[in-house]
Every structure is written in C-alpha cells, then in structure tokens.
Amino acid sequence: MPLAELRTVRAVCPHDCPDTCGMVVTVANGRAVRLRGDRDHPFTQGFLCQKVARYLDRVYHAGRLQYPMQRVGPKGAGEFQRITWDEAIATITRHFKEIATSKDGPQAILPYSYAGTMGKLQGSSLDRRFFHRLGASLLDRTICATAGAAGCDVTLGTRAAIDSEAVVHSRYILNWGSNTSVTNMHLWALMHQARKAGARIVTIDPYRSKTAARSDWWVPIRPGTDAALALGMMHVIFREDLQDDDYLDPHCLGADLLRARVLGEYPVPKVAAITGLSEDDIERLAHNYASTSPSLIRLNYGLQRHGGGGMAVRVITCLPAVVGAWRHVGGGALLSTSKMYPFNTSALERPDLIPPGTRTINMVQLAEALRGELPGPPVRALYVYNANPAAVCPDQGRVLAGLRRDDLFTVVHEQFQTDTADYADVLLPATTQLEQFDIHGSYGHLYVQTNEPAIAPLAEAKCNNDVFRLLARAMAFEPELFEVSDEQLAAEALRPGPCPKGVPKPSAFGGITLERLRGNGPVRLNLPKDYAPFTEGGFPTPSGKCELYSTALEAKGLDPLPTYTPPHEDPQTRPDLAARYPLQLVSPPVPSFLNSTFVNVDELRKMAGEPTLEIHPEDAAVRGIKDGQWVRVRNDRGSFRARAMVGQTVKAGVVVTQGIWWNKYTLDGVNCNATTSTRLTDLGAGATFFDNLVEVAPLR
C-alpha cells in the first residue's frame, strides 16, 4: 500500500476494564487495516489484551447489524425485516408518546444501559438528557460496582485509590478478589516490576485464577467471608501491637473501639472456622502484611458480589489505616481511580430535567420490573443500549419471561444480534468505537483521552448520541438540549463544575482542553507523580478522618464499626438451604470474553472452549462426576449445563463456572445466570452474583 494512502488515528478501548488502553488504528482508503496498542501511552505502553487485539474482527464481523429492523416473528425468535431509520424513529416515538400520555405516564418507560462503552459521551450524556426530559423511570446502575463504592465511601469518603504507576514501589501486594493479570493486565505488569525489586504478591480468592497461580501465595478463602478475614487480621495486628498508632491517632476515628471489637469478637480460631483458612495462614498473612512496607491491597469488585459485599469492602479498606500504609508511596488500597476525574457530569446528563417524584428501578431487579412486582406503573416500554440484559441479568428465567411479554414494547440499539436483540420489537444498528467520537477517563489510571473516529459508520449504523438527537427531534424536545455536537459535549465535560466530596478539585483538569487532547494524545491529570492521597490524612468523610467508626452508618441506625455480614446463601448460616444446595457457585468472567462482549467473535469463543464447571475431587467423587463429563448445575431459580473440570483449583464446597456465555451459544439456551439471585448487597444495593448455592449432578 503506498504510504500516501495510509493514515493513523488515535483511539481508546471503550470496554469495561480499568486499563482504558490507548490504541492506534491504521486506515487505508477508508478501511481500518491494523490496530495496535499506543506505545506513547504511559500506562498501557503499547500492548493490548487478547480480546481488543482482535477488535477489527469485531468491527468487520459478518454479523454486524447494518440496518434498522422490525420484528416479524415471535419474541425471542430473532426474526426481523428491514425498515428505514425514519420508520424506526416514527415507531419508537409513537409508542413513547402513547405511553407518556396514558394513565401510566412516562414512568412506564424504562431505559436500560450499562458499560457497553465507558465513554463519557456515548455512555452517559444525551441518553440521560433524553430520558430525563421524557420523564421516564430512572435506572439505578448497580450491577457491578455500587457495593464496593459504598463500602469505600463509608470508610474513606471516596474510592480507595492511589497512583497506579506507583505500584512499582509496593513491597507486599494483596490481590484481594482481583484476577489482576487478566482483568487489569497493565497493573499486573507494574506488580511484576515490583516483584523483581523484591515485592511479594499474594492473591486472596476462592478460585485459583491465573493471577493466583502466578502469585507467590494463593489464599483460598471461602466465598463471601472476606470481611471476617480482614477482621481476623486486625485481631492479630492489634494483639501483637503491629498497628501504626502514629497514623491512627491523628488521622482516624474510632481506633480504640475497633481494637476492642476485633480483640473481643474476632479471635483467629473463629475466623478460621468462618473463612475455611488455617489459623497459621491467618497469622502469617497478618504478620507479613503489617510488617512489610509499603503494602498495597488491590481489591476488586468480585469480593463484593454477595449479601455482605459492601461491608466487606468497608472492612478491608480499614486495613491500610491500621498499619499506616497510606503514608507511603505505593501503599494503601486501590479499587478505582474514577473519582479522580472531575468531569462535569451534571452538564452532560442534566439531572435538573428529572421531574420531581420520578421513581428509580434497580437494574439488578429487571426480572421484578418486567413482571410488575415493583411499586409504580408497569414497565410498558424498554429501551436497551450498551447492555445485554438477557445474558447478564440475574434470575435469567424470569427476565426472559418478562422480555417475552406481548404488551412490552422493546427497542434494542446494538452492534450485533445479541440474546437481548432477539426480543426486540425495533432493532437499531450501532457503531463501534472506531466509528464514533468520545472522551474517556479511567478507573485504573490517571490519563484523559479522546477517541477519534477512524472510519465512517458502516452501512446505516449510528452512535448513541445521533439516535437520541433523532428521537428528541421527533418528540419535539427543546433543540438547545440536543442540537449540540459531541465535540461541544466533550468540551463541556472538561469545564469546571460542582465537585462531589472525594473528587479532586477541578484543577485536576487545569490546562487539559479538547484541543490539547486531540493534538497530543493521553494527558495525565494534574496530580503529582507517585500521587498518594492520604499521606497526611485529609479524608473527605464527615469527620475529615478515616472513619473506622462511621458516623454516616450511625446516622442510619446501622452498626458504625466494621463487622462481618454473611452472604444471603451461606452454608453456615443457612443449613436448611445448604441441605438441598450445598455448593457455593462463583462465576467470574472467561478471559476470552468481557462480561458478554466478544462472545460472538469466533476465534475468541474457540479460545474459551465451552461452558465449564470447576469442582474439587472430593465433591466430584461423592456425586459420581468424572473429569470432562457434562453436568447439570441447579437450584430453585433454574439450571444450566457445563462440562466438569475436576481439580484443585477450588476448595471443597466451592464450584466455579466462567461466564458470561450468550444463551444462543450454549447447549440448553441459558447460562449461569439461570441460577443467580436478584437479592441485593447490604450497602450500595448491588448485585449478588457470587451469593449462590447450587447442587451439581452428572448428565448420563
């Protein structure tokens, strides 16, 4: 190809991953012909995961939706005929107007979206304005992170965060519920650098993940008992006088009360019985953590997906204060850097447009919403974008039953005909990241980036914002709200706005303009190198201190001190349920997929193999299960099939299936979410995917 016909464009991986990688796309004659990592990106440094390295396979996939379509067969059959964009917009607006002016009102319309793109524009700008202006029900987007966020906020007043690049200075690293080498691979590279300099890496996880296998020590905790382990570690630390009083006294609230609780209520033998760990391992972990500096806890969202998940994160984020880890560069805890970015989200989303009294529906409880089991009007219309609820929502059987309702009008805006798309009444073709403009922060590093469109939209695909502009015109909404370009929205997002507690002042964006980002590529927030936010306290809590004793919880009538809250379906506290369903099922993501994204890319699906269930030899033997045999995993909510993998990757009493498979690619047309529950976490009203008792039987 002559050089004159080639050009390169900077892009950003849009997917739900903390790394938010910079990419470079080579374009020839309007077609993207090569995609690689951006070597000039200081954090991601030019390499991509196995999924995004194949992103062009996704862009030019034969299954890309090309035109608007209308359902012609039964719901769920996936039978459609082509229509025009004008017809599609007219059909949608006719239904929306009819519902909005009916006795049920606009709250009978429910938008459903999550993190199909993490871009600030295509993920959460004109879409929110449109549904706020319409008066539709609000969606509480809780399915992934809210329990952990709430747990952090209680203790720290913000997310647990440090400068990710400072991890090279850490000397004792706990991956707590984090499969870092797979789901945060650029941070893992920094952990590996730290290990070369003498650090030890420990992984606490019920599952021997790839990260656990590559660590210096795997601590196989029983699912949902992380808070008990953290309290047991504090027992040892205070008992042995290993705490950092010089940090606790000036910068923390309630250290003496916490000390009394853990010494009196969480002795090591009790904690060992709860967690399934040996007393020696608990003692060793506590000693090593408290005596090695700087120590870092990389905690992730897997450990909060059970009934006590919010409290678990709260308890774990007390540990760095107890040992004074926050005072050191490379020390402390890291959950998410997202709140470091002072994006003007109010300007983008316009929450002032929300009519007073508008109800909120928790996205975890879509089954209840579609089946009319929540307060308020019935959900008569569902608009799905950036999400695949038929595959990812808990209590899948009831979700699918709701999607089959003849009186439910469903719109799906998608790149492919997903499981959810099969239930659409109107199906709209969406652009990929290479076909749209956006601006990105990150929840794993400190760089702002713009994504430039590398190619024109394929066929008749449109980005989210363009569709909402069309809908707003058809609904005769105020032009000044929607007739703004994506570039204008990006500039607005970077302008100083009101900063919630825990967000750095707008000066973190000082000098970061849209023009600079487009010209120079990734720009770091205006934060010091090796940023350590709490070296001298300064926590954005009500007291200004790390609240080991939480005044916020106390005000709500809740236990103000760290405690252990068992899972909803814990064998030790629910022996009645465990008598029928004795195995704790955990369902982390398949490394070849990203939640339900990439499942339809043939090469990645081949790498994933097939749905599997990892089971301990003892549990397999008593059930007559052989390695490689197909099994049925079931409980009262439903069942799914998987191929047994008998081995030592899990403890006895624990089974692991990796998800999330599209239903249409499984033998029985369902995935592991056929068994998961819509019950919520204690704090943050989050999902409880890993709080799931099941039984397993061989299929003859």
Side-chain angles (χ1 to χ4, degrees):
M1 185 71 63
L3 292 178
E5 299 181 19
L6 297 176
R7 64 187 180 92
T8 58
V9 180
R10 275 201 177 101
V12 183
C13 174
H15 294 295
D16 189 0
C17 168
D19 290 23
T20 319
C21 292
M23 308 186 296
V24 175
V25 185
T26 302
V27 180
N29 299 323
R31 182 180 176 89
V33 296
R34 185 184 176 207
L35 182 145
R36 62 171 174 82
D38 184 353
R39 301 185 189 103
D40 296 326
H41 193 296
F43 182 78
T44 61
Q45 297 189 356
F47 66 95
L48 301 171
C49 70
Q50 62 183 358
K51 301 175 285 291
V52 178
R54 290 176 170 81
Y55 196 72
L56 294 186
D57 294 348
R58 182 175 178 83
V59 174
Y60 294 110
H61 194 286
R64 277 286 301 274
L65 296 176
Q66 298 187 34
Y67 314 104
M69 295 190 289
Q70 183 170 285
R71 179 172 63 86
V72 294
K75 288 198 172 187
E79 298 171 5
F80 298 93
Q81 67 180 12
R82 180 178 175 180
I83 58 176
T84 67
W85 268 104
D86 286 345
E87 290 172 317
I89 296 299
T91 301
I92 296 167
T93 54
R94 184 176 71 251
H95 279 85
F96 281 6
K97 286 178 179 179
E98 177 187 334
I99 294 169
T101 56
S102 73
K103 64 179 178 60
D104 293 322
Q107 292 187 63
I109 301 168
L110 176 65
Y112 197 96
S113 71
Y114 197 63
T117 173
M118 298 292 284
K120 303 304 293 184
L121 308 183
Q122 308 302 338
S124 54
S125 63
L126 294 190
D127 60 315
R128 310 298 168 89
R129 290 189 190 188
F130 177 83
F131 289 112
H132 294 165
R133 173 62 181 81
L134 179 61
S137 287
L138 301 173
L139 185 73
D140 198 2
R141 292 171 171 85
T142 60
I143 204 163
C144 179
T146 53
C152 280
D153 287 349
V154 165
T155 306
L156 310 173
T158 186
R159 305 294 182 273
I162 65 166
D163 182 347
S164 306
E165 293 171 272
V167 169
V168 294
H169 304 298
S170 304
R171 289 300 173 263
Y172 199 77
I173 300 170
L174 295 180
N175 287 293
W176 203 320
S178 178
N179 189 7
T180 309
S181 70
V182 172
T183 63
N184 197 180
M185 60 190 298
H186 296 87
L187 185 68
W188 177 256
L190 296 173
M191 290 181 179
H192 191 61
Q193 287 185 42
R195 178 153 61 181
K196 286 183 176 179
R200 286 182 60 77
I201 299 177
V202 178
T203 294
I204 303 171
D205 200 308
Y207 172 49
R208 193 173 187 267
S209 64
K210 289 187 176 181
T211 302
R214 295 168 180 170
S215 298
D216 298 302
W217 183 18
W218 171 40
V219 181
I221 192 171
R222 195 169 66 83
T225 64
D226 306 275
L229 175 58
L231 292 161
M233 290 172 64
M234 291 183 213
H235 175 100
V236 174
I237 291 166
F238 280 115
R239 187 195 68 202
E240 301 297 323
D241 202 26
L242 298 174
Q243 76 279 3
D244 186 343
D245 290 323
D246 289 338
Y247 193 85
L248 284 168
D249 291 344
H251 303 310
C252 300
L253 181 69
D256 289 342
L257 293 170
L258 174 63
R259 177 189 180 110
R261 167 161 285 186
V262 297
L263 290 178
E265 299 180 28
Y266 291 97
V268 172
K270 176 181 176 180
V271 170
I274 293 171
T275 60
L277 301 173
S278 71
E279 295 180 33
D280 287 346
D281 281 349
I282 296 168
E283 296 272 359
R284 172 187 167 197
L285 181 64
H287 277 274
N288 290 349
Y289 172 71
S291 60
T292 310
S293 183
S295 60
L296 173 71
I297 300 173
R298 170 52 170 143
L299 65 161
N300 217 328
Y301 294 109
L303 71 88
Q304 47 120 62
R305 293 196 174 111
H306 62 86
M311 180 56 72
V313 174
R314 164 168 170 49
V315 177
I316 292 168
T317 52
C318 291
L319 278 166
V322 171
V323 300
W326 288 118
R327 68 164 77 244
H328 305 292
V329 171
L334 173 61
L335 177 67
S336 170
T337 61
S338 59
K339 290 198 77 172
M340 299 289 189
Y341 295 82
F343 284 113
N344 194 340
T345 55
S346 293
L348 292 178
E349 300 179 9
R350 294 297 302 273
D352 56 296
L353 298 172
I354 301 171
T358 300
R359 72 169 172 184
T360 298
I361 292 177
N362 190 316
M363 70 186 307
V364 174
Q365 296 179 322
L366 183 62
E368 288 87 341
L370 294 182
R371 294 171 64 83
E373 298 170 5
L374 299 178
V379 175
R380 294 175 54 190
L382 182 70
Y383 189 107
V384 180
Y385 60 108
N386 295 344
N388 185 12
V392 305
C393 277
D395 205 348
Q396 184 177 88
R398 295 205 305 151
V399 170
L400 297 181
L403 291 172
R404 283 193 290 268
R405 279 174 38 204
D406 288 332
D407 63 339
L408 176 70
F409 175 68
T410 301
V411 181
V412 177
H413 186 202
E414 251 295 355
Q415 298 163 354
F416 301 98
Q417 194 167 326
T418 62
D419 290 336
T420 307
D422 287 342
Y423 294 86
D425 293 289
V426 175
L427 182 55
L428 306 175
T431 49
T432 66
Q433 184 76 336
L434 300 197
E435 302 154 64
Q436 61 196 23
F437 175 77
D438 219 323
I439 186 169
H440 289 257
S442 170
Y443 64 96
H445 58 66
L446 301 178
Y447 292 87
V448 190
Q449 305 170 80
T450 55
N451 179 82
E452 302 296 334
I455 58 175
L458 299 188
E460 293 185 11
K462 293 185 184 297
C463 68
N464 287 329
N465 277 355
D466 281 348
V467 175
F468 286 109
R469 290 185 186 100
L470 291 175
L471 288 171
R473 288 171 203 156
M475 296 290 290
F477 288 165
E478 296 82 356
E480 60 269 23
L481 291 174
F482 298 96
E483 299 303 324
V484 291
S485 70
D486 288 342
E487 288 77 7
Q488 288 173 309
L489 289 170
E492 188 68 22
L494 293 169
R495 291 194 186 105
C499 277
K501 262 194 167 183
V503 178
K505 292 180 180 178
S507 59
F509 273 169
I512 301 178
T513 63
L514 182 56
E515 293 72 26
R516 182 181 173 194
L517 290 167
R518 301 186 90 165
N520 299 346
V523 177
R524 181 183 162 97
L525 295 175
N526 288 317
L527 296 171
K529 178 178 169 53
D530 293 336
Y531 179 60
F534 306 128
T535 52
E536 297 181 6
F539 296 90
T541 57
S543 66
K545 298 184 177 185
C546 178
E547 293 206 351
L548 308 175
Y549 184 100
S550 169
T551 55
L553 290 181
E554 183 180 38
K556 295 177 181 178
L558 301 175
D559 192 335
L561 284 170
T563 189
Y564 165 58
T565 304
H568 296 308
E569 298 186 5
D570 184 77
Q572 293 185 0
T573 59
R574 291 292 311 276
D576 56 328
L577 187 60
R580 292 187 294 136
Y581 303 116
L583 300 172
Q584 292 183 271
L585 174 63
V586 179
S587 47
V590 177
S592 300
F593 307 154
L594 204 164
N595 297 320
S596 77
T597 306
F598 295 103
V599 180
N600 64 319
V601 177
D602 292 344
E603 189 62 30
L604 293 172
R605 196 170 62 258
K606 288 176 185 175
M607 292 170 63
E610 55 196 354
T612 58
L613 185 85
E614 298 180 50
I615 185 168
H616 191 273
E618 292 177 11
D619 294 322
V622 299
R623 291 165 175 80
I625 295 171
K626 306 296 183 185
D627 186 56
Q629 185 175 16
W630 283 97
V631 297
R632 180 172 177 246
V633 186
R634 66 178 179 87
N635 59 22
D636 290 338
R637 290 179 286 270
S639 67
F640 66 95
R641 295 180 183 184
R643 193 179 292 280
M645 298 175 63
V646 180
Q648 302 284 343
T649 56
V650 293
K651 296 168 67 73
V654 178
V655 288
V656 167
T657 188
Q658 293 185 312
I660 298 174
W661 287 81
W662 288 10
N663 299 334
K664 62 181 66 181
Y665 289 120
T666 66
L667 286 176
D668 47 352
V670 294
N671 63 31
C672 58
N673 279 322
T675 64
T676 53
S677 165
T678 61
R679 293 193 69 178
L680 304 177
T681 56
D682 52 348
L683 304 175
T688 57
F689 289 112
F690 299 172
D691 194 335
N692 189 16
L693 285 179
V694 299
E695 181 55 289
V696 180
L699 289 172
R700 305 297 180 187

